[in-house]
Amino acid sequence: MSDSISIRSLGSRVGETVRLLGWIRNHRSSGKIAFLIVRDGTGEVQVVVARHEVDEATWQTVTDRVAYECSVVVEGVVRADERSPSGVELTASRVEVLGDSSNDYPIQLKDAGVDFLLSKRHLWLRTSRQTAIMRIRDEVIKAIHDYFYDHDFVLVDTPILTGSIGESAGTLFETEYFDLGTAYLAQTGQLYVEAAAAALGKVYCFGPTFRAEKSKTRRHLTEFWMVEPEVAWLDSEGNMRLQEEFVTAIVGRVLERRLPELEVLERDTEPLRAVVPPFDRLSYAEAVEFLVSKGSEVTWGDDLGAEDEAILTEGRSKPLFVFDYPKSAKAFYMKENPEDPTTVKCNDLLAPEGYGEIIGGSQREDDLDKLTARIHEEGLPEEAYDWYLDLRRYGTFVHSGFGLGLERTVSWICGLPHLREAIAFPRMMSRLDP
Amino acid sequence: MSDSISIRSLGSRVGETVRLLGWIRNHRSSGKIAFLIVRDGTGEVQVVVARHEVDEATWQTVTDRVAYECSVVVEGVVRADERSPSGVELTASRVEVLGDSSNDYPIQLKDAGVDFLLSKRHLWLRTSRQTAIMRIRDEVIKAIHDYFYDHDFVLVDTPILTGSIGESAGTLFETEYFDLGTAYLAQTGQLYVEAAAAALGKVYCFGPTFRAEKSKTRRHLTEFWMVEPEVAWLDSEGNMRLQEEFVTAIVGRVLERRLPELEVLERDTEPLRAVVPPFDRLSYAEAVEFLVSKGSEVTWGDDLGAEDEAILTEGRSKPLFVFDYPKSAKAFYMKENPEDPTTVKCNDLLAPEGYGEIIGGSQREDDLDKLTARIHEEGLPEEAYDWYLDLRRYGTFVHSGFGLGLERTVSWICGLPHLREAIAFPRMMSRLDP
């Protein structure tokens, strides 16, 4: 089928006779003329079928046999058409159905509930809104790999199945692992990239992570992708600068290469264009003071919730760093702040427009005694962390890193209210299929 | 610490005074002079410390305090040195230990058994052989993403947790999924990329996959990464051409950019340079005939084992396609061969030099009735595959794809006898830590 061409490439073939393979997105016909919208994954195009210009088989096909999402081969001449988004349409000489569909195609143009659409996710993906999101997600991922490659980071894949545990016990998926007992599905690759940073300097992991959290908010998925860079000899201040540059590079890349898809999503791109360094910064203490002045009941020591984040970012056009949280609110591995041992050298990065936290980052505790004490305080099993403590026993080093949630970032850039559309096959408390 | 520079960049700084941060790979001293090998993840360099040129604190440090893998800051002047692999050495003016190590550092230069090394994998990764492998793995991954991006594929991440099952029931890891019963860890993303191909045309997934197989060979890992492209309107013949081009691009990229690392591994690059299209091809029937002529006891209908693969590739410098296997030996979703319904339109790709299968690919069965019959024949639960059958109910389409095993490919390119060194933290039947 190598003599067919993609719909995206039609613009350069005006006047030529071409052959397309694709699916019928929509169709209508009168007695003398029929219009088909054909999509092929690279774009869509209107196909005009005039009864007097085609043979009887083609006319029968377009009036009686085509149905939503049937697959077709179309031959015809490319015409310039200023009214169409793609700038072209096709005047058909032949249309043939390759794979039938039916009039009860599950996803019709009329509105369907989200739960129904999720149950038909394998078909819902074919709609123009969903393909636009998938292409932007792909661009974000490629921008991430390119950024790190160009800055001499090494991708180090960290294990999913692990005997150690990362952050929050109690929200771990478990599985039986041969004769070795229980394995857990990783919630983070961080402990492993810390080991890799001592070997390779600048590293990152990028893979799926899992939270068995009984949470039903629009900001949570059970299975989501996270990218986690880790850098030797980088402190908390440098870590925030890296985050600024990295997020700016991702947003800039989507604006540069995925404007048509942002347009399909009707995304206002003005706020995205404001994403340039330096980002705004508030210490946790300043943030709490501000929140209290706005009537929040947060008190020093609490972690900040989604509502607090919304108040903090209201009216801002850039992402906002909140840094140096209380030790009690954050994970055991964060470095104690030498200037205020009740806090740790860490930051969250909050997206503007109410999208909330997209990054959590920190300098890591590099002092063996302090880290060991924190593991005991948290009641974590020291044996499981013995290898991790080795990184402080043998040539400990200043290092920092962060985790950026892919679906949260894609949702923000695409302007999606819920994470579930930012991944092809979302997993949530109530959804494991398809 | 932004005023320090990387060891890799020393070559352009001859004559300058610089500051390095890194770890001590090796050290020795006499009464008047000491030599340190310092590594920082980007490379390694010899540091010369002359007693009469440094202060007493530095001399004490290099004679009494430095130990394998302690972390250090070194200041000194870059000198050209033709005898060194990097072309330079450093004449130190100051050496300070930042993080101590000890004389009982677990991995000494003397040989240690592989099982011990695996138990210290977080430290083993720091050795020059392991960092070379990790950099080549990184290059292979980047080459894969670049290839697909440049060829208009869209990356679609497929779920790990799934209610449906892929290939071999009985080798699946299971976990309890909220109130929805049992979830399985995916062995392949193929069924999902087939759905995505109907939405986006050319797609791929690239993620970890899991086999709870009680297998202890050097060719198996419990958790491994697989890249799986899927292409609408591509047949089996086109699929093999895609594989040829793709594998050639990956090997070529490593030869172009990772020669120093291949040298560290003492990899003979001649066989790799022979990897150019077209690859050799044998039908399964021809392969069996050849194997029997060589004394193998294989009979038509059997799948081919590692020994058979070794016989088939012996003496060849290029990868070898074996295509159109018996239906009985392969998975239910492969397309029945119209010219011989006892076989399916599929192929394996065998790497030369005894590395065996790195790809399994096929055209997919696009006929609803044939696919449904195969699901029944295999005793698979039809409900679980109902969404997959929708792809044949609504606009079925010719499509093909394949899965390339990342660790097998990295092992072949690096010349590693065992997959366990091709991933940072390998998971095997007997290993879940670190």
Side-chain angles (χ1 to χ4, degrees):
Chain A
M1 314 221 170
S2 51
D3 57 340
S4 63
I5 68 167
S6 69
I7 289 173
R8 185 169 24 193
S9 64
L10 287 178
S12 61
R13 310 294 281 268
V14 172
E16 293 179 40
T17 298
V18 300
R19 188 162 172 270
L20 294 183
L21 294 160
W23 291 263
I24 295 291
R25 172 155 281 160
N26 211 345
H27 60 99
R28 63 195 164 88
S29 67
S30 68
K32 294 183 175 169
I33 193 158
F35 299 94
L36 312 174
I37 305 293
V38 178
R39 63 163 195 89
D40 73 348
T42 73
E44 60 180 61
V45 67
Q46 174 162 275
V47 176
V48 182
V49 191
R51 184 169 192 169
H52 69 275
E53 288 176 356
V54 297
D55 60 25
E56 189 57 24
T58 290
W59 186 251
Q60 286 296 325
T61 294
V62 300
T63 50
D64 296 346
R65 194 167 163 199
V66 296
Y68 291 131
E69 290 297 331
C70 72
S71 55
V72 291
V73 54
V74 177
E75 287 166 13
V77 177
V78 184
R79 312 277 186 202
D81 176 18
E82 283 177 14
R83 292 159 306 173
S84 105
S86 63
V88 293
E89 65 173 29
L90 208 71
T91 304
S93 51
R94 194 174 76 90
V95 177
E96 189 187 328
V97 169
L98 298 175
D100 277 302
S101 182
S102 69
N103 289 324
D104 65 349
Y105 182 70
I107 300 180
Q108 303 285 342
L109 292 182
K110 66 179 187 300
D111 275 347
V114 165
D115 206 59
F116 174 78
L117 290 171
L118 283 170
S119 75
K120 303 291 179 194
R121 184 64 173 165
H122 53 293
L123 302 175
W124 189 23
L125 280 179
R126 300 181 180 190
T127 60
S128 54
R129 179 179 161 85
Q130 300 304 318
T131 56
I133 296 169
M134 288 301 110
R135 284 187 182 276
I136 291 170
R137 179 185 166 107
D138 170 69
E139 194 70 50
V140 167
I141 294 170
K142 191 60 169 48
I144 289 170
H145 286 298
D146 286 351
Y147 181 90
F148 287 130
Y149 187 83
D150 293 343
H151 290 80
D152 296 321
F153 284 67
V154 180
L155 176 56
V156 174
D157 293 309
T158 54
I160 304 300
L161 293 169
T162 169
S164 324
I165 55 175
E167 296 189 24
S168 350
T171 59
L172 290 160
F173 285 105
E174 301 182 356
T175 189
E176 210 180 311
Y177 194 88
F178 303 111
D179 301 330
L180 300 182
T182 303
Y184 304 93
L185 301 194
Q187 296 187 329
T188 168
Q190 182 200 314
L191 308 193
Y192 294 96
V193 283
E194 285 187 55
L200 291 152
K202 299 196 280 186
V203 300
Y204 71 111
C205 65
F206 195 178
T209 55
F210 305 86
R211 301 266 162 114
E213 208 170 345
K214 292 196 172 173
S215 172
K216 284 187 172 181
T217 85
R218 62 190 183 83
R219 304 270 304 143
H220 288 88
L221 292 170
T222 303
E223 178 177 337
F224 60 98
W225 283 64
M226 185 151 65
V227 54
E228 298 177 87
E230 190 76 28
V231 184
W233 313 112
L234 190 73
D235 63 13
S236 183
E237 174 59 31
N239 195 31
M240 284 192 272
R241 282 200 306 273
L242 175 62
Q243 291 165 52
E244 267 171 5
E245 284 177 22
F246 178 61
V247 169
T248 301
I250 293 170
V251 173
R253 170 79 166 258
V254 173
L255 285 170
E256 180 197 324
R257 304 198 190 177
R258 292 292 167 204
L259 271 186
E261 285 79 7
L262 290 171
E263 218 161 279
V264 168
L265 301 173
E266 299 176 335
R267 175 65 161 115
D268 177 7
T269 57
E270 275 316 302
L272 297 177
R273 291 182 199 283
V275 179
V276 286
F279 294 171
D280 301 328
R281 296 187 186 199
L282 281 182
S283 73
Y284 171 85
E286 290 167 333
V288 167
E289 197 177 338
F290 180 80
L291 288 168
V292 168
S293 81
K294 292 285 178 185
S296 167
E297 292 186 354
V298 71
T299 58
W300 198 97
D302 299 343
D303 205 353
L304 304 181
E307 274 183 46
D308 299 321
E309 293 176 358
I311 296 170
L312 289 170
T313 54
E314 204 184 320
R316 290 177 195 272
S317 55
K318 289 188 184 196
L320 171 70
F321 284 117
V322 180
F323 61 92
D324 294 0
Y325 281 68
K327 195 186 276 182
S328 56
K330 291 291 178 182
F332 74 95
Y333 49 70
M334 296 189 181
K335 185 169 179 62
E336 185 181 286
N337 186 353
E339 289 166 16
D340 175 4
T342 64
T343 64
V344 284
K345 299 303 292 177
C346 73
N347 73 270
D348 284 355
L349 181 64
L350 313 181
E353 304 176 80
Y355 286 94
E357 183 194 335
I358 55 171
I359 283 182
S362 70
Q363 191 171 332
R364 318 306 187 185
E365 184 55 76
D366 48 39
D367 182 280
L368 178 62
D369 294 335
K370 287 187 174 162
L371 186 59
T372 309
R374 290 286 289 136
I375 286 173
H376 291 163
E377 278 167 37
E378 300 276 332
L380 297 168
E382 193 179 333
E383 328 74 78
Y385 294 94
D386 192 56
W387 68 265
Y388 182 65
L389 293 170
D390 272 357
L391 308 180
R392 280 74 182 170
R393 288 187 189 108
Y394 305 111
T396 192
F397 59 115
V398 168
H399 60 292
S400 300
F402 63 88
L404 173 135
L406 178 63
E407 287 76 15
R408 289 184 172 192
T409 304
V410 170
S411 294
W412 163 45
I413 293 175
C414 290
L416 310 176
H418 197 299
L419 296 190
R420 65 194 163 208
E421 287 181 68
I423 187 165
F425 297 94
R427 294 293 178 254
M428 296 169 290
M429 240 187 96
S430 56
R431 177 149 306 281
L432 182 61
D433 282 299
Chain B
M1 315 221 168
S2 52
D3 57 341
S4 64
I5 68 167
S6 71
I7 290 174
R8 190 177 10 202
S9 64
L10 287 178
S12 60
R13 309 295 281 267
V14 172
E16 294 179 39
T17 299
V18 299
R19 188 162 172 270
L20 294 183
L21 294 160
W23 290 262
I24 296 291
R25 172 155 281 159
N26 211 346
H27 60 98
R28 63 193 165 89
S29 67
S30 67
K32 293 182 177 170
I33 193 160
F35 299 93
L36 313 174
I37 306 293
V38 178
R39 63 164 195 88
D40 72 347
T42 73
E44 60 181 59
V45 67
Q46 174 162 277
V47 176
V48 182
V49 190
R51 183 170 192 168
H52 69 277
E53 289 177 355
V54 297
D55 60 24
E56 189 56 24
T58 289
W59 186 251
Q60 286 295 326
T61 294
V62 300
T63 50
D64 296 347
R65 194 166 163 199
V66 297
Y68 291 131
E69 289 298 330
C70 71
S71 55
V72 291
V73 54
V74 178
E75 287 165 14
V77 176
V78 184
R79 313 274 187 203
D81 176 17
E82 283 178 11
R83 293 159 305 174
S84 105
S86 64
V88 293
E89 65 174 28
L90 208 71
T91 304
S93 51
R94 194 173 78 89
V95 177
E96 190 187 330
V97 169
L98 298 175
D100 278 301
S101 182
S102 70
N103 289 323
D104 64 349
Y105 182 72
I107 300 180
Q108 304 285 342
L109 292 182
K110 67 180 189 299
D111 275 348
V114 165
D115 206 58
F116 175 78
L117 290 171
L118 283 171
S119 75
K120 303 290 177 194
R121 184 62 173 166
H122 54 294
L123 302 175
W124 189 22
L125 281 179
R126 300 180 181 191
T127 60
S128 54
R129 180 178 160 85
Q130 299 305 316
T131 55
I133 296 169
M134 287 302 110
R135 284 186 183 277
I136 290 170
R137 179 185 167 109
D138 170 70
E139 194 70 49
V140 168
I141 294 169
K142 191 59 168 49
I144 288 170
H145 286 299
D146 286 351
Y147 182 90
F148 287 131
Y149 187 83
D150 294 343
H151 290 79
D152 297 322
F153 285 67
V154 179
L155 174 57
V156 175
D157 293 308
T158 54
I160 305 300
L161 293 169
T162 168
S164 324
I165 54 174
E167 295 189 24
S168 347
T171 58
L172 290 160
F173 285 105
E174 300 182 357
T175 190
E176 209 181 310
Y177 194 89
F178 304 109
D179 301 330
L180 301 182
T182 303
Y184 304 92
L185 300 195
Q187 295 186 331
T188 168
Q190 182 201 313
L191 308 193
Y192 293 96
V193 283
E194 286 187 56
L200 291 151
K202 299 198 278 187
V203 299
Y204 70 111
C205 64
F206 194 178
T209 55
F210 304 87
R211 301 267 162 113
E213 209 169 345
K214 292 195 174 177
S215 172
K216 285 187 173 183
T217 85
R218 62 189 184 84
R219 306 268 306 143
H220 288 88
L221 292 170
T222 303
E223 179 177 335
F224 60 98
W225 283 64
M226 185 151 67
V227 55
E228 297 177 88
E230 190 75 29
V231 184
W233 313 113
L234 190 74
D235 63 12
S236 183
E237 173 60 29
N239 195 30
M240 284 193 273
R241 282 202 305 273
L242 175 63
Q243 292 165 52
E244 268 172 4
E245 285 177 22
F246 178 61
V247 169
T248 300
I250 293 170
V251 173
R253 170 78 167 257
V254 173
L255 285 170
E256 179 197 324
R257 305 198 189 177
R258 292 291 166 203
L259 271 186
E261 285 79 6
L262 290 171
E263 219 161 276
V264 167
L265 300 174
E266 298 175 335
R267 175 65 162 117
D268 178 7
T269 57
E270 274 317 303
L272 296 178
R273 291 182 198 283
V275 179
V276 285
F279 295 170
D280 300 329
R281 298 188 184 197
L282 280 182
S283 73
Y284 171 86
E286 290 167 335
V288 166
E289 198 177 336
F290 179 81
L291 287 167
V292 168
S293 80
K294 293 286 178 183
S296 166
E297 293 186 353
V298 70
T299 59
W300 199 98
D302 300 343
D303 204 353
L304 304 181
E307 274 183 46
D308 299 320
E309 293 176 357
I311 296 169
L312 289 170
T313 54
E314 203 183 321
R316 290 177 194 271
S317 55
K318 289 188 185 196
L320 171 69
F321 284 116
V322 180
F323 61 91
D324 294 0
Y325 282 68
K327 194 186 278 183
S328 56
K330 291 291 178 183
F332 73 94
Y333 50 70
M334 296 187 180
K335 184 168 179 66
E336 185 180 287
N337 185 353
E339 288 164 17
D340 175 4
T342 64
T343 64
V344 284
K345 298 304 291 178
C346 72
N347 73 272
D348 284 354
L349 181 64
L350 313 181
E353 303 175 81
Y355 286 95
E357 184 194 333
I358 53 170
I359 282 182
S362 71
Q363 190 171 332
R364 318 307 188 185
E365 184 55 77
D366 48 40
D367 182 279
L368 178 63
D369 294 336
K370 286 187 174 162
L371 185 59
T372 308
R374 289 288 288 134
I375 286 173
H376 291 163
E377 277 166 38
E378 299 277 332
L380 297 168
E382 193 179 332
E383 328 73 78
Y385 294 94
D386 192 56
W387 69 265
Y388 181 66
L389 292 170
D390 272 357
L391 307 179
R392 282 73 182 171
R393 287 185 189 111
Y394 305 111
T396 192
F397 60 115
V398 168
H399 61 292
S400 299
F402 63 89
L404 173 134
L406 178 62
E407 287 76 15
R408 289 184 173 191
T409 304
V410 170
S411 294
W412 163 45
I413 293 175
C414 290
L416 310 177
H418 198 297
L419 296 191
R420 65 193 163 208
E421 287 181 67
I423 188 166
F425 297 93
R427 294 293 178 254
M428 295 170 290
M429 238 186 99
S430 56
R431 178 150 305 281
L432 182 60
D433 283 299

